[in-house]
Amino acid sequence: MAGNVLTGESIEKETKLHDTLAKIKHVIIVISGKGGVGKSTVSSNLAMTLAMKGYQTGLMDIDITGPNIPKMFGIEDEQLMANEERLLIPITVPPALKVMSMAFLLPSKDVPVMWRGPVKMSAVQQFIEDVKWGDLDYLVIDMPPGTGDEALSIVQLIPKADGMVVVTTPQDVALLDSRKSVGFAAETKIPIIGIIENMSGFVCPHCGEVTDIFKRGGGEATAKEMNIQFLGRVPIEPAVVDSGDSGMPVVLKYPDSASAKAFDGIIDKIIKTVE
């Protein structure tokens, strides 16, 4: 029984975590069963689309070993500030997106993070507790890839998530892993908002013809088979790569692109589902 007794320190931590998340209306967790499916690209564009629609939005990049979000917004050299309560103030990206990333807390972007599990989890908990988000309509959380200890520990620290968005690509290997993400959501009792099929067809920048490099429709078929909402497909476009490398999400830099229009439609479905 002694192991179940809450200490003063644990109660204080729970209170602090509750206070940190209390002013956030909706929490959206973006996950993928494997790396390399464009989860961070999807997260950054979903968050920016929400901000462009007038929602007070935050984006939390909680991938310890590969925090790429700052690069995608051109803010990797920004220095964090703290308020009088020693809470970290997120970096604001125009028009009104608050961004917080583990990358800001690491000593160097070129040094690999070689932490064991308990150290990672301690860092993640402190990271979540010690951020001053203020009033938010949406907080989008870019998770580490996979469904292992890191992902499990993180979702247990966030008790009020509205749901998960699963990112996959059309090929069979990615779809197999996306099914694991759905199972992960079920085990953690967090609802699935839907599946996004990323890299769904290459759009030629010259003629506009679509070539299905990684096949097409697998994400939609998986969603239908598992009775989950299909949120939409995002094509492969050179504009996505260019915008990400230049520090500006495609929805902001190329709002008339096929990808930007896809993200706009996906966000409308997410808003309708959550609200």
Side-chain angles (χ1 to χ4, degrees), residues 81-92:
M81 304 291 288
N83 65 5
E84 64 279 359
E85 299 171 295
R86 295 196 296 179
L87 294 176
L88 297 170
I89 307 300
I91 304 299
T92 300

Side-chain angles (χ1 to χ4, degrees), residues 144-258:
T147 56
D149 286 344
E150 286 181 47
L152 182 60
S153 297
I154 291 167
V155 298
Q156 288 174 342
L157 288 172
I158 305 166
K160 57 171 291 183
D162 290 78
M164 293 185 181
V165 171
V166 179
V167 181
T168 187
T169 51
Q171 59 266 60
D172 291 342
V173 173
L175 292 169
L176 179 64
D177 288 321
S178 71
R179 292 170 181 270
K180 296 176 183 176
S181 296
V182 173
F184 174 79
E187 289 293 326
T188 55
K189 295 182 172 55
I190 296 177
I192 289 284
I193 295 172
I195 293 177
I196 296 174
E197 183 178 297
N198 194 30
M199 306 183 194
S200 180
F202 168 71
V203 180
C204 177
H206 304 293
C207 67
E209 182 180 347
V210 179
T211 303
D212 296 327
I213 297 176
F214 298 129
K215 300 197 300 187
R216 178 185 172 89
E220 184 172 10
T222 299
K224 185 176 180 180
E225 182 182 334
M226 303 191 76
N227 197 28
I228 295 168
Q229 178 176 211
F230 181 64
L231 293 171
R233 53 176 58 90
V234 181
I236 303 173
E237 286 187 289
V240 176
V241 179
D242 172 64
S243 60
D245 287 347
S246 64
M248 187 180 295
V250 68
V251 296
L252 190 61
K253 190 170 185 178
Y254 300 107
D256 294 325
S257 66

